[in-house]
Amino acid sequence: MAEKLLKLLTAAIAVAGLLFGIYRFLDVQSIEASKPYLTKKLEYCIEAVEVAASIANADVPSQKEIERFWQLYWGAMGLFENQIITQAMIEFGTTLKDATQTDEGSKGDGPLPSGLKGQSLKLAHECRGELATEWSPSWGKQN
């Protein structure tokens, strides 16, 4: 009886090991399959944050930076962002648009509102939070 129980236990452990191995293999394959997407998402999030920070911290931002923000806003970020990042991009974009257009609809060339700095930082935090859920929870930890 003990011998049969030992054989059954050994078989159960072998099956459990096999199932765990299959699970880990599929998990790793899933991660590997999503790496190209996640890598591009990371690159675009970094660029959006850098462009927003550059605009927010310039006395008078370059037209090239403003145009790049709108390219990211209407293009690549729409492909990668979730609702929280979308909202941060909208807030930054709305303030930027309001600040760079005069009543006549022409582009203003004065200093931008200081609120853009906070919105830029919010965008950075939202990108970090989303990327933390997809790459590594330790990214989301604030020191």
Side-chain angles (χ1 to χ4, degrees), residues 15-28:
V15 169
L18 177 65
L19 291 176
F20 180 75
I22 291 171
Y23 169 78
R24 287 297 302 145
F25 174 78
L26 293 174
D27 189 42
V28 168

Side-chain angles (χ1 to χ4, degrees), residues 80-138:
F80 294 108
E81 65 194 9
N82 71 3
Q83 189 59 40
I84 295 170
I85 294 175
T86 298
Q87 188 58 42
M89 290 287 287
I90 289 171
E91 290 172 12
F92 188 92
T94 300
T95 303
L96 178 62
K97 182 179 177 185
D98 291 345
T100 56
Q101 291 190 350
T102 64
D103 291 336
E104 296 83 34
S106 63
K107 295 180 179 175
D109 59 357
L112 297 177
S114 61
L116 276 177
K117 288 182 181 180
Q119 291 171 345
S120 172
L121 186 59
K122 180 179 179 183
L123 175 60
H125 287 173
E126 300 300 359
C127 284
R128 180 186 64 199
E130 182 173 337
L131 291 166
T133 63
E134 296 170 338
W135 280 95
S136 170
S138 66

Side-chain angles (χ1 to χ4, degrees), residues 46-91:
I46 289 170
E47 184 177 4
V49 167
E50 288 175 343
V51 169
S54 182
I55 291 169
N57 285 289
D59 290 330
V60 178
S62 74
Q63 192 60 35
K64 183 178 178 183
E65 289 174 323
I66 292 172
E67 288 172 6
R68 184 60 185 148
F69 173 80
W70 290 116
Q71 287 172 346
L72 291 166
Y73 181 95
W74 291 111
M77 290 303 288
L79 178 63
F80 294 108
E81 65 194 9
N82 71 3
Q83 189 59 40
I84 295 170
I85 294 175
T86 298
Q87 188 58 42
M89 290 287 287
I90 289 171
E91 290 172 12

